[in-house]
Amino acid sequence: MEADSQRIIAMFSPLGSPTGLVLYDISTAIPPDSYLSLAPFELFRVPLIVIGLADGLEQTRRMSAWESNGEIMNDVQAQVHDVESSGFEHLLHILDDVQEQYPKALVHRVILFDTTMQESNLPEGIMPVPPPRLCKTTTMKTVMCDITSLFLAEMTTFAKSLQGLPSIDSPGFYQANHGVNGHMSWSGTQSGTTLLDGRRSSRQSASRSESPGLSETSKYRMSMPAQVSSFPSTSSNPETGSRRSSPPRKTRTPPPSSSDDVSGFHRSPADSPAGKNMTKSSLDGTRRELSRDRVEVHGFGSGSLSERARNKGRGRVGVVIGALYLLAGRWEDAVRESVENANVAKANSDHLWHAKALENILVGLIMLAWAGLDFQIPSVCYPIAEKSTSLTTRPGQHAGPNGTEETDSTPSSNVPHRLVSLQNLVTLLPDLLNLILSLLNRASALSAETLPQLAYSEFIIRYAKILAAAHVCAGRLDDDALQHLVLNVPLSTKPSPRIPRIGILPSRTWISSILFRAMPSSVLDGGLSTIDRTIILAGIASVLSSLGFQRKKAFVMRELVATLIPGLIQARKFGAAEMGVHPAAGLALTNATDGDSIGRAAQDMGMREDDTGLQALLLQFTQAYGATWPDLEVPQTKAGLPQIDEQNSNEKDLPQVHPDNSNEATIIRIIRHASLRPFGNRSLKLLALRYCINLCEALPDFAGVLRFTSGLLRNAGSGIAPGAGSREGSVTLSREEQVRLATTISRTISAARNFGLTGLAADYWDEFLIRGVELLTPPWWKLAVPRRKEDIVPSEVAEEKTEKTPFIYNPYLKKTNAVKDDKLLVAGEHAEFKITLQNLYDFEVEIERLLLDTKGVEFVSMEHGTIIGPYRKQTMVIAGIPKMAGSLEITGCIVKVSGCWERRFPIFSNAWSGPREFKIGTHALGAPQLHRPATGSEVSSMPQPTDLRDGPKASVVSLNVIEELPLVVLNRMSLSYGAMMLLEGETLSVTMTLQNLSTTTPVDMVLFSSEDSTSTPIQAAMRNKDTPPVEMYELELFLQKHAFRWKRKTEANFHIDPGGISELEVEVLGKPGLTSGVVQLDCTHLGAGGEAAAKGRFYTRQVRIPLTITVNASVELVHADILPFSSDLYRLETQSEFISEPTGQDSIERGVSASPQPPASEFEALFERLKVSKGTRHYCLLLLDLRNAWPNPLTVTLHVDDPSKASNLPAHTSHTEDGGRVDRSSPKSYTISKVVQPGHVTRFMLPLPRIYLTHPNAPIPILDAANRRQFIVRSEKSSPEAERVSREAFWYREAILGLVRGTWSELGTARHGTIGLRGMRLSPRTVHTVKLKELGIDMHVSTSLNGSETAVPVAVTPLAQSRGYQVPTDEFVLLKVRLTNRTTRPIQPLLRLQPSLRHQAHPYALDISKRLLWNGLLQQPLPVLGPGESREVAELGLCLLARGEYEINATVEEVRTCAVDGGLGDRQRDNGANADGEVGRLGSERQTWHAEEACVIVAL
């Protein structure tokens, strides 16, 4: 900048110090009176420049309005017109009022923004600023340079006036004589009057004196870029060179004649009403009289009291002049002036001003270091200086530490480097501080010289700030520390309590001990006002924060808050009294009327920057005590900023920033809160929060009240999720206080709404609000049931595709997709969820809105509200609709609690109590550092925990949304009331009509299944492990015999159109014990080609139709037995018990004549039709006793099927007859019918072919796959022989039941049914009767031709009553033996024939040597007999010598077991049990077979 050419600037000319800077501290309010009372001891406290800001657009409108009044001037008149008549009259009046209100200020200027006029065309005191589009980078700098130039010029005048004073009184002198509040304010108006509402002063009628003209070269300074004016030329007349005339300005206040005039604390003569009318001559006279008084001498010589007083006064004035040099940016001159006058003050024992001079020297040295200039520390700053050092130094010289004078105008080699000087300064700081404090203590001995508490405390705070900056920067005053001290730039280095800083001097402890000297006491505070006390405490807290003493800082901040609360409450009372409102109205006090501008300005409810800073301060205060805050623990997002009514609020958005409420961020926040809860004392923590609430209520600050009230509830809570039945989780506050805090939140929000602030709310205080989300099971008729593709494939096909494996567990086996029990939703249909809410506080919590937060497919959640009672868990039901199929996850709930922000809450279903509370020193010290409020640049770098295992587990409800399904219901049924009556074995058809309620989805597939009342007891019996395998098989078979069957009319799939109906027919079977049943229809839509089933999984909906059934008994099996079919039956006289004579009701069908004939002929006819010889040994007689249990006669029909064509026989069954295969083309089945009267028992005798089973010892099958186990261990141990007998009885019984079946029908009606024959049981005797042996032995006698073709054949006549032959004696006959191998293995036989006399004792029966002759061997080995082979193996010639009856028995013994395909035979493998589970004989035994009947020969 350049000097003002209009004024002579000798002392503070910018040309004298090109490197100087003027630093402005801009304020929008007048300093308190306690500040002003310290001038001129501390001139930086007094406002020296008053700047007004004006709107150029508004001024343009005023000028347009003035021109519209008809006063049109020509160009000449426009240049010289009276300014008062123009549109600037308003601004000029304001400028005059400013000069009247603030006469002590050196510069008064108004800056007019957004104007296109030049400064030459504006009245004096108004400075233009063009619009932004016309501004350059140096525009505002130029304006500030102009203001600074005027300021330096006025400061010279001010300094000259100070130099004319004989002395300046200390600030303690004024407080001792007048008191702090016993003076007029610096502004000259009553305190509280605003800038624009000051009274107007009458303007003088005389015209303004013309301002001296400016030369053309003075319009532009060297630092400004060359520019061409674009404004219209309105300059003054070039001939005169002067500006246009302006109204006369008031005469400037003459220089002060005493310290009363200089001080901003006291009123000068010009400020008094009389002084305002004094002329210049009178003022000059007054000055001369004061000068005569000033030179009055009371003593003689240099050591006189008067000379000492004059030197002391001259030193004080010099100290003030040095302070002016500091303000003007001439720091070298300031240091020189301060050093000179410090020596003067030291020599005259002026301790207070000596200390002030040392402080000014320190400030000047710091400013020189900040500017990058070299400096040397004066010797006066050292506590012990050499006596040879002169008291004063010449200008431009400094006294070194050793007393020598060194010139700093030109650098030399002896001048130390700047870094060395800075290090020396840091080393000197503690001693210098002690020196200054000792001087202040000496000065306090005199009450007039005592430094006020405000100045004393602020001096210590300033000095402690310098020491703290040096300590934080590792004991150095580097550039970072200097920037922090001069420009208040935050330090880039942050102190850490974990790093030892013992070697850094000065230490933190020493600095804090010095700093606490500035702490004002409650008694000896020097009458400090609330503002002064607040400023001191805030400064102490700031320095403690930079040192890292968070707990000490919290202690000071608690005192700060306690100081602010009474003052704010008192101010609110005064405001309520002015508005006529009772103070007890609480927050409603703040509602100012529209006409009261003071009230509007003071009670602006918009969130301002200072409000945000106050909340940040209080947050730091509470966090130092360990309080937790949700919005300061995790990276913050502005996605959820509240919306404010812009018409009713001056701010666009609030400073409230919502935290991230995702599951991970919430868990991290909970873990951090849990780790902070043990830190600090809970009572102190809650007390600090109560202080914050009281302070915010006193301001009033609505957002702060809500924030700290919710914070108090949060920190008073337990922060846990208690389990079921747990008594934990209680709040440390009393019930009354909890209710009061909840009421405070609602009351604050109501008051904020009255002011138009609709975006204020609190943060909810419990993270565990949602304790569970559960899908409610829909009604059974809407439930979606998962199905697999195998449910459509028939069970037989599925079993064929199942691969068998010998392994119990095969890890490499491909696993089948088991149907999971998923939680299913259907697209487009309502689903209900049960929400569990938690409230651990003793007041009700109102939920205004709650909806589900989901991920995946689109989901529309219904909004619901509720009220949670105090200290409880409560459930509510909420509904939602998924819009499409896919995966859906419910991750949390979005909840709007009354009075709180709407936010997302995760689901915490499990109990969680957090870590155990403990106290460790390092943990406590580190806690506030890790969780201090993070700035925007630090949020991204804030450490985030990655291990969440210690925190609560957030639950996620996974759902599967499937495609739309049809909804089918029963429309009608052919049964009345769903009840029916049946007989055992009877079937009845029921017609059911189904309706599809879906309007979009048809039904194209129906799966039929059923349940009946017999299933439960049977399944209970099947669960008994001691149930024998035979009984288990019967139970499983009975269970698989379904009582309901779907009678399909066509093979096409069942189809129901959307909204249509369709019928199906169900057949009901009368099972014993059936009382009720349910028909279940699974309906679904598979689409064209069954796309859903092709994927391996689909879903159905069930239609369950209950039926009530009564089943009565019909025909019962009373007894069953099997007898061998003996030839003696032919000799019976009566056969009525065997086969009754054929009638219309009783008959033997198929080939049995109805005409009367002997019974023997009936058997003969039957066997003849069956093509069986009448004396056959291959049939047995089956006896069945059946009883009619129905009141009406029933016709009972028994069917014996052809063994070769029976489809339900065991696979290993074979039938042979007469040594040959059965002719499968011949009819072998027959039927017997009888009418059984009610209650009667009728016996049926059925000739039944004997049966051979290839594997009669095979294991009993297990029908239910669920009961199939590789190893079955039963409690009852049975021998292999008993197991073999049991298995043989089972398999032969199954073979018989496969051949025989029975039906019944009621006479006169169409009712019919089947007879249950499974009650038949076989004993070992009956099994022996019905089964055929493995090796069949047949013997017969034929004629022997004796090798002669012409011989007459012997007459051999077969006997009718037995298997015998009648032959003549003395004739040769042949005995032929045929063997039949019915097994599947070869047999190597040894035949033994045993002839004997019939009907004789054993010793006599074998004496046949004289009665019988034979030709051949009675015992002979035979060739191997293959599997299934039948052949004649031997011929024996016989000749009977004596008449009588002979019999020949045959025995076949197995010589050895034969191998099959190079391996061992079956008999060697059957050691107990084979691979298929058969139980057989020991493999080392050889088997022997005997002929069933001996061959009888009767010799005649």
Side-chain angles (χ1 to χ4, degrees), residues 916-930:
R916 180 181 177 184
E917 293 190 1
F918 59 91
K919 289 182 179 291
I920 300 178
T922 56
H923 173 269
L925 290 175
Q929 293 294 331
L930 292 177

Side-chain angles (χ1 to χ4, degrees), residues 1299-1315:
L1299 295 176
V1300 182
R1301 54 189 176 88
T1303 59
W1304 62 264
S1305 61
E1306 186 178 11
L1307 297 178
T1309 63
R1311 305 183 70 170
H1312 62 279
T1314 59
I1315 301 174

Side-chain angles (χ1 to χ4, degrees), residues 71 85 292 471 721 802 914 1207 1480 1492:
E71 299 180 4
S85 302
R292 286 194 299 269
H471 177 85
T802 303
S1207 59
E1492 294 182 355

